[in-house]
Amino acid sequence: MGSRDADIDFTFTAPITVRAALDALARVGWSMDVSLGGLSYMIDDADGMCEWYRSSPAEAGEVLARLDAPGNLPYSVAIDVYHPEAGTGGMLLFVPGRTEVSFVPTIDRRRIPAASEFTDLAWYLNALVPAFVGTGLEGYEAKEIKY
């Protein structure tokens, strides 16, 4: 059967910080994922080695400051987000330059009921795009591929 990957790539008119993106998402019901008892985030480095970290929810401010630190702007960073009411979430990946952000539904992915092998990208678009409209969202591309 093979595996499937889905993601939504957002493009912004100006760089967006992790904090600004999470603040916008919080207004529509999203939060940093704490389902396993802590925050999960990633920072790339000059060697291209992505390292994932876990922190307590009490350290959210420090995590956001670290992700948005000027020294990390040339590198990709990511943080897991979750929509508690919908019971789903995923990874927000911020690429260098911070005008492009990808969302990958990795946490209890929502599927299309009549075609369960496919991700319900329409649900994710409806849950994410309105949050980003006021933050300089220029456009998006949603895709699902089989490999």
Side-chain angles (χ1 to χ4, degrees):
M1 179 172 150
S3 295
R4 302 188 77 80
D5 261 345
D7 69 64
I8 303 169
D9 300 323
F10 296 97
T11 304
F12 295 86
T13 56
I16 186 169
T17 63
V18 176
R19 183 180 300 275
L22 289 176
D23 286 348
L25 289 172
R27 288 191 285 276
V28 296
W30 293 85
S31 63
M32 288 184 268
D33 179 35
V34 295
S35 61
L36 297 176
L39 308 174
S40 181
Y41 63 100
M42 182 275 298
I43 298 176
D44 197 358
D45 65 17
D47 297 326
M49 301 298 294
C50 298
E51 188 164 346
W52 281 89
Y53 301 92
R54 293 198 60 76
S55 288
S56 75
E59 296 171 327
E62 289 118 28
V63 167
L64 293 176
R66 186 172 181 203
L67 294 173
D68 286 333
N72 284 327
L73 292 178
Y75 308 110
S76 295
V77 298
I79 190 159
D80 284 343
V81 294
Y82 192 70
H83 195 291
E85 185 179 312
T88 188
M91 176 185 69
L92 274 180
L93 174 67
F94 296 75
V95 299
R98 303 296 192 267
T99 58
E100 295 177 16
V101 177
S102 294
F103 173 78
V104 183
T106 55
I107 304 168
D108 297 324
R109 183 184 302 195
R110 291 182 72 104
R111 308 255 179 209
I112 297 173
S116 62
E117 69 271 21
F118 289 95
T119 303
D120 190 350
L121 286 170
W123 185 91
Y124 289 102
L125 287 169
N126 191 52
L128 294 165
V129 170
F132 290 145
V133 166
T135 62
L137 179 65
E138 185 173 61
Y140 63 83
E141 179 181 8
K143 61 185 175 279
E144 180 162 340
I145 57 173
K146 182 177 179 179
Y147 57 94

